[in-house]
Amino acid sequence: MFEFDLFMDLMEEYSSLWADVTTVFSNARGYRYTADIDRLLRLQDRLMWGTDFPNTFMPPEQVAANLIATGLGRQICEKVFYDNANRFLAEFTPASL
């Protein structure tokens, strides 16, 4: 997905950028993510999961299965599915909330 590759370029240049990878792994319209897996590994601490509800092309469970099928491994999938969002919200949510 060309625009995601461009955004990943920006993520490598600017350490404060994060990405929601849900649409990238939806495999919508026959597209399958084929970019450098090493790049995902480098950026793994700033990638997050979201359902993109209600604008979904396929069930969230299938999109999650597509991400798992990349072979990134359990530790990285746990970061993407939970840990990174938890850390992001803890860091950027005002303490008064």
Side-chain angles (χ1 to χ4, degrees), residues 52-85:
D52 286 352
F53 182 82
N55 301 315
T56 59
F57 296 107
M58 58 187 357
E61 298 84 4
Q62 182 58 53
V63 181
N66 293 343
L67 176 58
I68 292 167
T70 63
L72 290 172
R74 182 181 182 101
Q75 182 180 9
I76 294 172
C77 285
E78 285 179 357
K79 284 182 179 182
V80 173
F81 288 129
Y82 176 77
D83 295 337
N84 290 346

Side-chain angles (χ1 to χ4, degrees), residues 4-5 13 21 23-24 28 33-34 36-37 42 45-46 61-62 64 69 73-76 83 89 91 93-94:
F4 187 66
D5 292 327
E13 187 172 344
V21 297
T23 301
V24 176
Y33 183 76
T34 57
D36 186 1
I37 294 297
R42 285 194 306 273
D45 293 324
R46 293 184 286 136
E61 298 84 4
Q62 182 58 53
R74 182 181 182 101
Q75 182 180 9
I76 294 172
D83 295 337
L89 291 172
E91 185 174 337
T93 301

Side-chain angles (χ1 to χ4, degrees), residues 7 13-14 16 37 40 43-44 50 53-54 59 78 81 83 85 88:
F7 191 78
E13 187 172 344
Y14 301 101
S16 62
I37 294 297
L40 292 176
L43 299 171
Q44 65 180 289
F53 182 82
E78 285 179 357
F81 288 129
D83 295 337
F88 179 87

